Amino acid sequence: MTKLGRELAAQGANIISLSVGEPDFNTPDHIKDAAKKALDENYTRYSPVPGYPELRKAIVKKLKEENGLDYDISQIVVSTGAKQSLSNAILCVINPGDEVIIPTPYWVSYSEMVNLAEGKSVFINTSIASDFKITPQELENAITEKTKLFMFSSPCNPTGSVYSKEELAALVDVFEKHPQIYIISDEIYEHINFKSKHESIAQFESIKDRVILINGFSKSYAMTGWRLGYLAASKEIAAANDKLQGQTTSGTCSIAQRAGIAAYEGGLESVHKMKEAFERRRSLVYDALRDIPDVKVNLPEGAFYFFPDVSAFFGRKDEDGNIIENSSDLALYLLNKAHVATVGGDSFGNNDCIRLSYAASDQQLIEALRRIKTALGKLK
Ligand SMILES: Cc1ncc(COP(=O)(O)O)c(C=O)c1O
């Protein structure tokens, strides 16, 4: 959709993009300054494969102070974005035929990474009625003797759902009964949480050794282009990731790593400012979506996405007589007729919904939602 949107824009259309998954802010100045200094100080050579010790120390400190989690630097592996950390972790843990439980909707790359490792994705479907969260019973029902891994994000892309400490504890009760299962906890949106303080499933000591915690700098510090993420895991899993990365990409960009140290040492002021803006926009979009007949919407507790249920429009016709069959058709219709780029929910394993990112200015959001309302009103 982003690509199609750009093509239409190149032809002169005034496209508003609500399809991208990155903050619309610039990287804070103190982080950019650290990168410039790193160049001047000649941090231009290969770094250690799992990252500079100073960065891993800053990550250990962050995990202790912000999340109450104890890790040693030997348990941290820094990679080229959280995406590589996820992919490394899956490749290290999954053998061909192993089952990986993924609640839907999920971030697009999860199931493809599992395919690459020749694992088998087992989906637990959720809907807007449960705020897109799974229950312990649903988890238990999905587990077989082949289950090797469970992976999820909280706050979630694409739904913005956030698991509370109590909800995580109930899932942990299930994992305690199945010691062969690893848990990938993708916490990349941890700072964009409007509900309360971020809760990590790694805080539960009974399963901590099996949790592979994924995080990074892209979303919290508006550093998507720098490609900097990491995992924290047991020493055994971290060592396997180090070995794999040593034979593939080696240590990630030296300059980005020095910038990452400045990000973690520079406090959370810029993060809080960004979160305030997202919270204001969330209210704005929520009110506008609730004002559109036949759109079902919940209030996401984190990240910067809405995932409204638009299935009421399936089967309706546009002005040219084309029938909207599914979420992709609807996203395409909105792009062509309203000039608003969204993403069909089928990309995330849920065909009832579309994803709207509110990483856009207030004016753009108001105009986009006005156009969406008008366009949906024309479907009969
Ligand atoms: C849930 C989730 N995990 C991981 C990533 C990847 O982040 P990074 O830019 O650090 O690779 C994204 C990016 O969109 C994401 O939405």
Side-chain angles (χ1 to χ4, degrees):
M1 282 300 153
T2 307
K3 192 168 153 253
L4 277 177
R6 283 191 189 129
E7 280 167 20
L8 279 175
Q11 291 161 23
N14 170 13
I15 303 291
I16 303 178
S17 176
L18 305 187
S19 65
V20 288
E22 63 180 340
D24 57 322
F25 301 100
N26 293 324
T27 304
D29 284 341
H30 68 282
I31 301 175
K32 291 196 281 197
D33 290 342
K36 291 173 196 164
K37 188 158 169 270
L39 270 176
D40 290 341
E41 289 176 355
N42 292 311
Y43 279 99
T44 52
R45 297 171 198 275
Y46 288 130
S47 73
V49 171
Y52 287 120
E54 299 92 314
L55 175 57
R56 286 184 289 147
K57 268 187 210 151
I59 292 168
V60 165
K61 187 162 171 272
K62 174 258 184 266
L63 290 170
K64 178 72 187 163
E65 289 175 1
E66 290 181 16
N67 309 103
L69 301 172
D70 285 307
Y71 286 99
D72 181 76
I73 79 161
S74 61
Q75 296 179 273
I76 311 293
V77 178
V78 176
S79 295
T80 309
K83 198 169 201 171
Q84 189 188 10
S85 304
L86 283 162
S87 159
N88 280 351
I90 292 169
L91 287 168
C92 285
V93 167
I94 294 302
N95 287 322
D98 285 345
E99 291 181 2
V100 181
I101 298 178
I102 307 177
T104 68
Y106 52 85
W107 184 48
V108 280
S109 299
Y110 288 179
S111 60
E112 297 302 342
M113 289 175 181
V114 171
N115 287 342
L116 200 61
E118 296 182 35
K120 181 175 171 248
S121 298
V122 173
F123 300 111
I124 304 177
N125 293 325
T126 68
S127 72
I128 203 162
S130 60
D131 276 333
F132 302 104
K133 288 191 262 189
I134 62 163
T135 63
Q137 192 56 53
E138 287 168 331
L139 174 60
E140 184 73 69
N141 294 346
I143 293 173
T144 74
E145 57 188 19
K146 288 191 179 160
T147 308
K148 189 73 174 288
L149 179 66
F150 171 83
M151 61 189 298
F152 76 125
S153 61
S154 176
C156 174
N157 178 6
T159 64
S161 298
V162 176
Y163 282 83
S164 67
K165 186 170 179 183
E166 293 68 33
E167 287 163 339
L168 291 175
L171 298 181
V172 170
D173 287 344
V174 178
F175 291 126
E176 281 175 356
K177 288 190 254 163
H178 301 278
Q180 84 283 10
I181 302 178
Y182 287 94
I183 298 113
I184 287 186
S185 177
D186 182 346
E187 305 182 14
I188 188 113
Y189 291 94
E190 73 159 310
H191 286 302
I192 310 170
N193 176 346
F194 313 112
K195 183 176 170 164
S196 51
K197 117 179 178 343
H198 174 69
E199 300 288 354
S200 170
I201 200 166
Q203 71 188 281
F204 298 93
E205 282 302 324
S206 63
I207 61 155
K208 184 176 172 218
D209 236 28
R210 293 189 272 140
V211 174
I212 304 170
L213 187 159
I214 308 284
N215 208 329
F217 296 76
S218 286
K219 317 289 173 172
S220 298
Y221 295 90
M223 291 176 71
T224 48
W226 298 70
R227 311 311 301 128
L228 193 62
Y230 60 88
L231 63 74
S234 69
K235 288 191 180 174
E236 186 195 14
I237 292 288
N241 275 269
D242 182 347
K243 205 169 182 179
L244 173 67
Q245 187 162 295
Q247 302 303 343
T248 51
T249 56
S250 299
T252 189
C253 168
S254 54
I255 318 284
Q257 289 191 55
R258 302 316 294 185
I261 299 170
Y264 271 3
E265 287 180 348
L268 291 169
E269 198 189 330
S270 61
V271 178
H272 290 152
K273 269 198 197 139
M274 203 162 57
K275 188 179 129 183
E276 267 170 36
F278 281 134
E279 194 159 12
R280 188 185 63 245
R281 295 165 180 182
R282 181 181 69 142
S283 305
L284 202 150
V285 175
Y286 185 52
D287 290 345
L289 282 171
R290 281 201 304 174
D291 192 40
I292 305 180
D294 296 334
V295 169
K296 274 192 241 160
V297 62
N298 68 337
L299 184 64
E301 291 167 328
F304 40 75
Y305 307 106
F306 275 85
F307 203 61
D309 184 323
V310 289
S311 55
F313 296 92
F314 301 167
R316 297 189 193 177
K317 285 186 187 152
D318 69 12
E319 286 163 318
D320 305 324
N322 301 313
I323 300 177
I324 304 294
E325 308 267 13
N326 51 40
S327 62
S328 289
D329 285 354
L330 195 79
L332 201 58
Y333 170 72
L334 291 176
L335 180 62
N336 285 327
K337 299 292 177 189
H339 288 173
V340 178
T342 59
V343 188
D346 54 348
S347 309
F348 308 97
N350 177 316
N351 202 10
D352 290 334
C353 302
I354 54 170
R355 191 191 76 173
L356 279 83
S357 157
Y358 52 93
S361 72
D362 295 20
Q363 290 77 4
Q364 281 177 316
L365 291 170
I366 292 166
E367 173 60 11
L369 270 297
R370 188 194 65 73
R371 291 188 199 174
I372 291 175
K373 184 177 178 185
T374 308
L376 291 180
K378 288 184 182 161
L379 291 174
K380 300 289 174 217

